[in-house]
Amino acid sequence: MTTVRRAVLTLPAAPLGPDNPLPALRAPAGAGAHAVDARTLAELPRDMARGIGRAPLRSLLPAPVRDGYGRDRTPADLDTIVIENDRLRVTVLPGLGGRVHSLHHKPTGRELLYRNPVFQPAAFALNGAWFSGGIEWNIGATGHTTLSCSPLHAATVRAPDGGPMLRLWEWERLRDLPFQIDLWLPEGSDFLYVGVRIRNPHERPAPVYWWSNIAVPEDRRVLAPADTAWHHGYERGLRRVPVARTEDGIDRSYPLNSAHAADWFYDLPEGQRRWIAALDPDGGGLVQTSTDPLRGRKLFVWGTERGGRRWQEWLTEPGTPGYAEIQAGLARTQLEHLELAGDAEFSWLEAYGPLAADPATALGDDWAAARSDVEHKLAGVLPRAAVDAAYTAWRESAADTAPDEVLAAGSGWGALEVLRGGYELPGTPFPESTLGPDQEPWRELLHTGVLPAPSKSAHGAAQGAVRGAAPGTPLIAPLVASPWRDMLETAPADPTTEYHLGIAQWHAGDRAQAVRSWERGLKEAAVRWPLLYCLAVADREDGHPERAAEHFTEAFADHAGADGGPEEGAGETLAAALGREAVDALLAVGRPDRARALWQRLPEPVRQRGAFRLLDARLLIAEGRPDEARAVFDAGFEVADLREGAEILGELWARLTDELLPDAYEFRMRPS
């Protein structure tokens, strides 16, 4: 009999820490790593180019940036939900994006996934905190979802076969769409079934992105039913190449044969069954398959060069085996987005389980024979028709079924949207009881037409970031969808409303009007730094670095006050966020003297963080003190929120010496 139960997993874990309290007005910092140059774009198939150009993110709004984590790990208890039958045991982390942490096959005693032995956030999600391992569900836009380290709603539901099923659901805020993930194990099945549905309850069409990312040990061979793939590296190109052996004669279906980090998006023929497998030297391993709507398949590798190995160590514990990712998505590549019509949905079914192939064939030099053997073995253990039938049964009898026992709670944002829009979403309830302090000001705007000023007691995470701030400090968590923007435009104008109206206008692409709203709010604001910060970002984005530096500096000074620094805790978090921006802006315009003066006003614990040690090294170089900057590197530091593809450490080192960059600072992911 299949069971679904709560459990606890204890891992060495770095705490997530507080979110960045500043509004995320800019596009994701790592967006360039996933870009395609204009010449390449012009040479791609027209529908692919159209998908790549569809609705790029102008900002991360309304999601917060999550950069408060560090690298000190201590044992921590993580809530899990375990789905189990007599063949498989599946461990899910509902508080961390619904990640499948483990897929254990009982008859063979095999772990089918790469299971990270630690929880270590790193700056790979669109909004920052992300961690490696298991199966992750990515929705929103190109990259790892903003929900990577966020809780999802979770409950038991009756599965199509009458047994228990785990439902995960949330409201994805970048694209303003609800989604659900249903996981169940039919009795006696070697395969985990996963039904996924994304709904668009609005009248307007919406851009949609989905990729299921599966971490597997990297000492595998990865097979998919394709002869060519679209290769994407950190050089911003996208070109079609042979799958098994590229121009240099190296078989790239083995992750450890690649020197540098790269993506291979397999070009599956129309009508071909969708699957991807990762097999060990004995021919055994994991296979993932799906119904046809989940079209894309991909292999991601870190590469064997120093940068890729360093990232692998960074994400787990040194000395542990590395991993690669096999992935499945709605489009051919992760650079594309599909369009979902209003009042419509995308849905499909995935299956994950063990596969035993003939090692002599599946790992042999004949790619066509290897593919054929794996596909034949898959057909024997899980026929294509069985997957299609399971999808039909799920969609017709279970997808709309109301949850039974609630196991975990997500955010209140879905409840707020349902309250505003009156949406009917069978199967994924967002009751008013899930509304929390972050949503309360917006519910008041909805009911009264007035957005209240923040108070110390009224708001949780957002107001907690400015503990001790004066009333009227406009740090309510932002909302930017057009219905909320319309309400802000008709609400009584005050600094709080003008601040949020400007954020919503900025998100909509009306930058000039956003600046006007912030300038109006600034005239009457008792607490000026939030509006000054927004104006500083606008100045920088519009090509006015000198003015941006002034506004960033004013924002920091307004928060810090004339008579001393900020209090510890949340106030310190805000000082660090504003100070980092201001020092960077002053360095960009050649004012190291003012940057150093501002640096000295930061709390000492902030100055000792790795990101600020890096800022100190930059300051020392700008001040003409290279020996002292070198001493910072020699003493050692770690930038906890170093972004994917960042090359700043190598660039600074090259300004100081001709010596080889130490391994501890080698995070470069592209060829020299």
Side-chain angles (χ1 to χ4, degrees):
M1 294 290 292
T2 298
T3 60
V4 177
R5 57 184 171 84
R6 291 188 182 96
V8 173
L9 173 69
T10 302
L11 290 178
L16 280 169
D19 290 347
N20 191 312
L22 304 176
L25 299 175
R26 283 167 287 195
H34 302 289
V36 176
D37 62 77
R39 185 177 66 179
T40 300
L41 195 63
E43 297 171 352
L44 295 176
R46 185 171 299 177
D47 62 329
M48 183 182 287
R50 187 164 54 247
I52 291 173
R54 179 174 286 124
L57 291 179
R58 289 189 289 258
S59 76
L60 280 171
L61 294 166
V65 171
R66 313 200 72 178
D67 59 3
Y69 51 86
R71 298 205 36 91
D72 294 330
R73 297 190 288 266
T74 57
D77 292 339
L78 304 178
D79 291 332
T80 69
I81 299 172
V82 177
I83 314 166
E84 190 167 11
N85 66 5
D86 61 339
R87 311 289 294 177
L88 286 173
R89 182 169 61 249
V90 185
T91 304
V92 180
L93 302 173
L96 296 169
R99 181 81 58 100
V100 176
H101 174 73
S102 171
L103 188 61
H104 178 79
H105 187 233
K106 295 181 179 181
T108 61
R110 294 177 60 115
E111 173 57 51
L112 299 179
L113 305 174
Y114 167 76
R115 184 175 55 190
N116 198 332
V118 305
F119 172 69
Q120 176 57 64
F124 278 74
L126 287 165
N127 63 334
W130 170 88
F131 64 107
S132 65
I135 306 172
E136 58 174 309
W137 318 109
N138 289 299
I139 181 174
T142 299
H144 297 281
T145 177
T146 60
L147 296 168
S148 293
C149 292
S150 296
L152 304 188
H153 299 282
T156 56
V157 186
R158 194 59 52 191
D161 62 358
M165 178 169 74
L166 172 63
R167 173 163 299 158
L168 306 168
W169 73 100
E170 244 306 351
W171 197 283
E172 200 285 314
R173 300 179 69 207
L174 290 184
R175 303 304 194 183
D176 206 19
L177 302 175
F179 68 97
Q180 74 185 75
I181 307 164
D182 288 353
L183 304 96
W184 77 99
L185 292 172
E187 187 174 350
S189 174
D190 281 301
F191 282 82
L192 170 68
Y193 286 177
V194 182
V196 183
R197 174 164 62 172
I198 304 170
R199 287 188 274 202
N200 180 6
H202 312 293
E203 295 181 356
R204 53 173 171 76
V208 169
Y209 172 94
W210 180 279
W211 282 79
S212 303
N213 289 13
I214 309 136
V216 294
E218 64 182 352
D219 60 342
R220 299 290 189 264
R221 189 185 202 186
V222 174
L223 298 103
D227 293 320
T228 60
W230 293 93
H231 171 265
H232 180 260
Y234 287 81
E235 306 89 353
R236 302 181 65 174
L238 189 65
R239 59 193 178 94
R240 188 185 270 120
V241 299
V243 166
R245 294 189 184 275
T246 54
E247 298 93 327
D248 54 13
I250 298 174
D251 189 344
R252 305 292 182 181
S253 64
Y254 290 89
L256 288 173
N257 283 351
S258 293
H260 300 283
D263 305 320
W264 277 271
F265 299 103
Y266 297 108
D267 198 6
L268 275 62
E270 291 294 334
Q272 169 66 52
R273 183 179 185 182
R274 318 303 197 194
W275 59 267
I276 190 168
L279 306 180
D280 65 18
D282 295 327
L286 172 76
V287 66
Q288 187 269 3
T289 187
S290 72
T291 50
D292 288 352
L294 201 66
R295 175 183 185 179
R297 293 298 185 277
K298 172 193 161 182
L299 166 65
F300 167 76
V301 299
W302 286 103
T304 57
E305 291 292 326
R306 292 199 307 149
R309 305 329 293 172
R310 181 67 177 117
W311 275 117
Q312 293 259 33
E313 292 179 352
W314 188 253
L315 296 170
T316 181
E317 289 184 335
T320 57
Y323 76 97
E325 288 181 359
I326 58 174
Q327 306 180 12
L330 284 174
R332 280 170 297 186
T333 73
Q334 287 178 326
L335 311 180
E336 301 168 75
H337 295 73
L338 303 185
E339 184 176 279
L340 179 59
D343 199 27
E345 69 175 50
F346 288 142
S347 62
W348 63 91
L349 185 129
E350 306 179 41
Y352 297 80
L355 188 79
D358 174 22
T361 304
L363 307 181
D365 291 337
D366 188 334
W367 176 253
R371 279 181 43 189
S372 178
D373 181 67
V374 172
E375 189 150 6
H376 176 73
K377 296 297 194 300
L378 175 59
V381 295
L382 187 63
R384 185 177 187 176
V387 175
D388 292 339
Y391 166 76
T392 300
W394 167 72
R395 189 62 194 84
E396 293 180 353
S397 67
D400 288 346
T401 302
D404 296 327
E405 180 187 1
V406 174
L407 301 177
S411 78
W413 295 113
L416 185 67
E417 292 303 326
V418 168
L419 186 64
R420 182 198 59 76
Y423 303 121
E424 296 291 336
L425 300 168
T428 55
F430 293 97
E432 285 193 54
S433 60
T434 61
L435 291 169
D438 282 345
Q439 293 81 45
E440 190 56 40
W442 297 100
R443 177 161 65 170
E444 187 167 336
L445 173 66
L446 181 65
H447 289 328
T448 68
V450 178
L451 185 68
S455 66
K456 296 179 185 179
S457 61
H459 311 301
Q463 185 60 21
V466 285
R467 188 174 65 244
T473 302
L475 269 195
I476 298 166
L479 282 177
V480 295
S482 56
W484 296 106
R485 186 175 72 246
D486 292 344
M487 282 184 263
L488 289 167
E489 287 176 344
T490 58
D494 59 29
T496 297
T497 303
E498 295 287 11
Y499 168 77
H500 283 283
L501 176 57
I503 289 175
Q505 291 164 334
W506 180 270
H507 176 265
D510 192 351
R511 294 189 170 188
Q513 190 58 53
V515 168
R516 285 192 283 271
S517 295
W518 293 326
E519 288 175 340
R520 284 196 304 269
L522 194 61
K523 293 177 181 178
E524 298 181 6
V527 178
R528 296 163 52 85
W529 64 260
L531 294 149
L532 288 166
Y533 169 77
C534 292
L535 290 170
V537 173
D539 289 334
R540 182 152 64 186
E541 295 293 297
D542 291 340
H544 304 292
E546 295 277 358
R547 202 162 66 202
E550 292 299 324
H551 276 139
F552 278 126
T553 303
E554 284 184 67
F556 177 83
D558 185 73
H559 172 259
D563 298 322
E567 62 183 285
E568 294 181 1
E572 186 175 282
T573 298
L574 186 48
L578 288 169
R580 193 172 177 182
E581 294 273 16
V583 171
D584 183 75
L586 289 166
L587 284 174
V589 295
R591 294 304 307 269
D593 52 339
R594 294 182 62 193
R596 177 62 70 184
L598 192 150
W599 163 272
Q600 296 294 347
R601 297 189 67 186
L602 289 167
E604 178 63 23
V606 171
R607 295 203 300 267
Q608 293 305 315
R609 297 179 192 173
F612 290 84
R613 298 295 292 148
L614 174 60
L615 265 184
D616 190 24
R618 292 176 57 200
L619 266 169
L620 291 166
I621 292 172
E623 291 166 335
R625 301 155 66 187
D627 291 343
E628 293 173 74
R630 170 64 187 265
V632 173
F633 276 86
D634 290 342
F637 62 89
E638 291 184 326
V639 182
D641 62 337
L642 192 70
R643 288 294 313 190
E644 174 186 10
E647 299 184 353
I648 181 64
L649 296 175
E651 292 168 356
L652 288 183
W653 182 261
R655 296 178 64 181
L656 298 172
T657 177
D658 293 330
E659 297 173 25
L660 181 68
L661 181 67
D663 287 344
Y665 303 121
E666 179 56 276
F667 291 93
R668 292 171 291 192
M669 298 175 70
R670 60 177 177 169
S672 300

